[in-house]
Amino acid sequence: MAMMDLSRDRPATGEALLDCRDVQVSFDGVIALAGIDLSIAPGEVLGVIGPNGSGKTSLVNVISGYYRPTGGGVTFAGQRIDGLRPQQIRALGIARVFQNLRLFDNLTVVENVEVAMAVDLARTRGVAQASVGAMVWRRQRRLRREARLKAVRLLEDNGFAGHLDTKAGSLSYGQRKEIELLRALADPPQLLLLDEPTSGVSRAEAEQVGERIALWRERTGCTLLIVEHRLGWLFDLAERIVVLNSGSVIAEGLPEVVANDPEVRTAYVGTRDDH
Ligand SMILES: Nc1ncnc2c1ncn2[C@@H]1O[C@H](COP(=O)(O)OP(=O)(O)O)[C@@H](O)[C@H]1O
Ligand SMILES: [Mg+2]
């Protein structure tokens, strides 16, 4: 399919914080990404949409180091990052939130955030990965205490003061998604990748997740890449939209322009924004 450029003010490549060039990913002949070109400017909120199987999660996986591209390259803040491991990429300032929840249901809310905080502190202090597990639960009491204090503060600042000792598993799905988001923010990233942050939550909860993201972004000026199937929600939040189909970018531009594009509508037949 021919690519249409619907953008009016796409950032010049030179100013990009993140730059994907001809990124390809395939698995035994299944093409997940067929050569993606995509740039994100510093501070930008980029929305990524596309039907199921179009490559959205694969793109996030490549940028965050979970997939190694079979072709092309990814540059972050002027440095090639494709081929680096997820923890190395996290250390450079790219955090990602998974599409599915990865909380420890039997731990409390504060323990869940504390673990993430401790891992981040250990990394920034240069504690070896291998000793992180032991550190969190036995040794390095001081670092653990610091992680606890910071976790409590982060949760209190974000409306969870009354839930610190609640088991994560007993929160609503929407609340758990918010905790998942806070875990990614433990060590504030420069670029945050969100994969369907509202999947599985109610409309009201989605509003709340959206407000949380917008507020946090306003406070920090963080750059965001948000994959989302709830189009109205995303079009309110994102400044620019990239549309994927079959592992390729088929359109990009301002939300209101993309929303009215016939090719985008065709790719989306059967996809609704009402759940
Ligand atoms: N680890 C994997 N192994 C095999 N195929 C994969 C893998 N990850 C993704 N794919 C395939 O790549 C395509 C894109 O998947 P994905 O990136 O998950 O799409 P989306 O997130 O847009 O739904 C699909 O055909 C999917 O089956
Ligand atoms: Mg996906």
Side-chain angles (χ1 to χ4, degrees), residues 163-236:
H163 292 289
L164 296 181
D165 298 317
T166 308
K167 288 269 194 283
S170 63
L171 294 178
S172 75
Y173 196 80
Q175 286 174 313
R176 280 183 279 163
K177 292 283 268 194
E178 288 193 58
I179 300 295
E180 188 91 323
L181 179 63
L182 291 179
R183 293 181 85 220
L185 305 182
D187 175 23
Q190 230 183 314
L191 171 64
L192 179 64
L193 313 171
L194 298 171
D195 195 358
E196 306 216 359
T198 80
S199 73
V201 312
S202 69
R203 183 181 277 269
E205 287 175 326
E207 292 295 317
Q208 192 149 11
V209 171
E211 277 168 28
R212 183 85 71 218
I213 294 168
L215 187 72
W216 177 78
R217 192 250 171 181
E218 210 174 276
R219 264 195 230 149
T220 65
C222 178
T223 308
L224 284 167
L225 183 158
I226 309 176
V227 170
E228 181 56 48
H229 68 281
R230 215 183 281 256
L231 301 190
W233 182 95
L234 184 64
F235 289 179
D236 282 345

Side-chain angles (χ1 to χ4, degrees), residues 27 30-32 50-59 67 99 195-196:
F27 301 93
V30 175
I31 294 173
N52 274 339
S54 57
K56 305 181 297 296
T57 298
S58 297
L59 178 64
Y67 287 173
Q99 188 166 353
D195 195 358
E196 306 216 359

Side-chain angles (χ1 to χ4, degrees), residues 152-164:
V152 168
R153 198 174 316 139
L154 184 66
L155 285 161
E156 286 177 347
D157 284 352
N158 286 282
F160 282 95
H163 292 289
L164 296 181

Side-chain angles (χ1 to χ4, degrees), residues 251-267:
E252 71 170 293
L254 298 171
E256 57 271 27
V257 179
V258 166
N260 294 314
D261 180 67
E263 192 172 4
V264 173
R265 284 166 174 269
T266 308

Side-chain angles (χ1 to χ4, degrees), residues 41-256:
E44 189 178 24
V45 181
L46 179 71
V48 175
I49 65 173
N52 274 339
S54 57
K56 305 181 297 296
T57 298
S58 297
L59 178 64
V60 171
N61 282 339
V62 166
I63 297 169
S64 53
Y66 288 84
Y67 287 173
R68 184 187 284 262
T70 41
V74 183
T75 305
F76 176 66
Q79 179 182 347
R80 277 293 284 270
I81 60 166
D82 49 287
L84 296 184
R85 290 195 305 275
Q87 281 300 322
Q88 293 175 306
I89 290 177
R90 181 64 187 85
L92 291 175
I94 302 180
R96 77 76 72 86
V97 178
F98 287 88
Q99 188 166 353
N100 298 315
L101 286 175
R102 295 194 161 198
L103 295 182
F104 303 104
D105 282 351
N106 292 324
L107 296 187
T108 64
V109 166
V110 73
E111 284 165 345
N112 267 285
V113 177
E114 179 189 335
V115 170
M117 195 67 86
V119 170
D120 284 345
L121 285 174
R123 190 187 52 241
T124 53
R125 310 269 156 88
V127 176
Q129 276 301 306
S131 63
V132 166
M135 174 208 71
V136 172
W137 302 115
R138 280 189 282 120
R139 291 202 290 273
Q140 306 245 15
R141 289 227 169 73
R142 225 178 45 194
L143 201 142
R144 191 180 164 184
R145 211 161 34 234
E146 186 182 344
R148 161 77 61 153
L149 286 174
K150 288 190 161 170
V152 168
R153 198 174 316 139
L154 184 66
L155 285 161
E156 286 177 347
D157 284 352
N158 286 282
F160 282 95
H163 292 289
L164 296 181
D165 298 317
T166 308
K167 288 269 194 283
S170 63
L171 294 178
S172 75
Y173 196 80
Q175 286 174 313
R176 280 183 279 163
K177 292 283 268 194
E178 288 193 58
I179 300 295
E180 188 91 323
L181 179 63
L182 291 179
R183 293 181 85 220
L185 305 182
D187 175 23
Q190 230 183 314
L191 171 64
L192 179 64
L193 313 171
L194 298 171
D195 195 358
E196 306 216 359
T198 80
S199 73
V201 312
S202 69
R203 183 181 277 269
E205 287 175 326
E207 292 295 317
Q208 192 149 11
V209 171
E211 277 168 28
R212 183 85 71 218
I213 294 168
L215 187 72
W216 177 78
R217 192 250 171 181
E218 210 174 276
R219 264 195 230 149
T220 65
C222 178
T223 308
L224 284 167
L225 183 158
I226 309 176
V227 170
E228 181 56 48
H229 68 281
R230 215 183 281 256
L231 301 190
W233 182 95
L234 184 64
F235 289 179
D236 282 345
L237 203 58
E239 296 161 326
R240 185 165 61 102
I241 301 289
V242 162
V243 188
L244 299 188
N245 198 15
S246 304
S248 297
V249 176
I250 59 161
E252 71 170 293
L254 298 171
E256 57 271 27

